[in-house]
């Protein structure tokens, strides 16, 4: 099984019917969940699921469903619209192995937004696991429509 990075195809269609609202103060709630190497996240992922979601091996750092993201209101640059989440998301005092993540809209039936493959297993043992989002600009933002 393999995880791949992709904007979920269902998300692209859902944007056109106004399912997702990324506005910072009044928009939907977006979360990020972590998955193991047996998951199959990618463009065909349509919603958050608990199957192959990681478990915290010691302590209480990670809970099912992942962490809530803080949206930054979308903006544009040239002909590209983009949005970001800030600050980066971290789990402290964590012990687990993750291979991929899924950003999803918990306000809209847990619909998938984007799958992020880490390129291999990433392990943390009694430390801090951080997902650092790319620069919020037209070339690099985590969610871009060009």
């Amino acid at each position: 099984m393999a995880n791949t990075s992709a904007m979920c195809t269902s998300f692209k269609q859902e944007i056109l019917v106004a399912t997702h609202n990324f506005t910072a103060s009044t928009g939907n709630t977006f979360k990020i969940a972590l998955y193991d190497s047996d998951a199959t996240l990618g463009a065909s992922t349509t919603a958050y699921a608990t199957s192959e979601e990681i478990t915290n091996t010691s302590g209480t750092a990670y809970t099912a469903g992942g962490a809530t993201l803080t949206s930054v209101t979308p903006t544009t640059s040239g002909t590209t619209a983009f949005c970001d989440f800030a600050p980066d998301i971290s789990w402290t005092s964590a012990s687990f192995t993750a291979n991929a993540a899924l950003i999803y809209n918990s306000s809209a039936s847990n619909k998938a937004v984007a799958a992020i493959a880490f390129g291999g297993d990433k392990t943390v043992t009694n430390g801090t696991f951080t997902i650092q989002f790319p620069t919020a600009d037209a070339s690099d933002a985590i969610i871009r429509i060009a």
Side-chain angles (χ1 to χ4, degrees):
M1 309 255 162
N3 293 302
T4 58
S5 293
M7 191 72 57
C8 298
T9 304
S10 58
F11 170 71
K12 296 173 187 178
Q13 183 270 333
E14 291 159 359
I15 287 175
L16 298 176
V17 296
T19 300
H20 304 278
N21 180 351
F22 288 88
T23 306
S25 60
T26 60
N28 298 139
T29 299
F30 293 89
K31 292 187 171 188
I32 189 164
L34 302 176
Y35 289 84
D36 63 27
S37 60
D38 291 328
T40 54
L41 301 177
S44 64
T45 303
T46 59
Y48 161 78
T50 58
S51 178
E52 305 308 335
E53 186 175 12
I54 67 151
T55 56
N56 200 50
T57 56
S58 68
T60 58
Y62 187 85
T63 57
T68 301
L69 297 170
T70 302
S71 289
V72 174
T73 299
T75 190
T76 61
S77 177
T79 60
T80 302
F82 59 92
C83 66
D84 187 31
F85 301 103
D88 297 333
I89 197 78
S90 295
W91 290 267
T92 58
S93 300
S95 293
F96 56 73
T97 298
N99 186 275
L102 179 70
I103 297 172
Y104 68 97
N105 185 342
S106 67
S107 298
S109 303
N110 295 330
K111 293 181 182 292
V113 173
I116 305 162
F118 297 156
D121 285 345
K122 305 298 178 191
T123 300
V124 61
T125 304
N126 197 28
T128 300
F129 187 90
T130 300
I131 295 180
Q132 184 175 16
F133 291 106
T135 304
D137 61 28
S139 300
D140 303 304
I142 193 74
I143 299 173
R144 299 182 308 278
I145 302 171

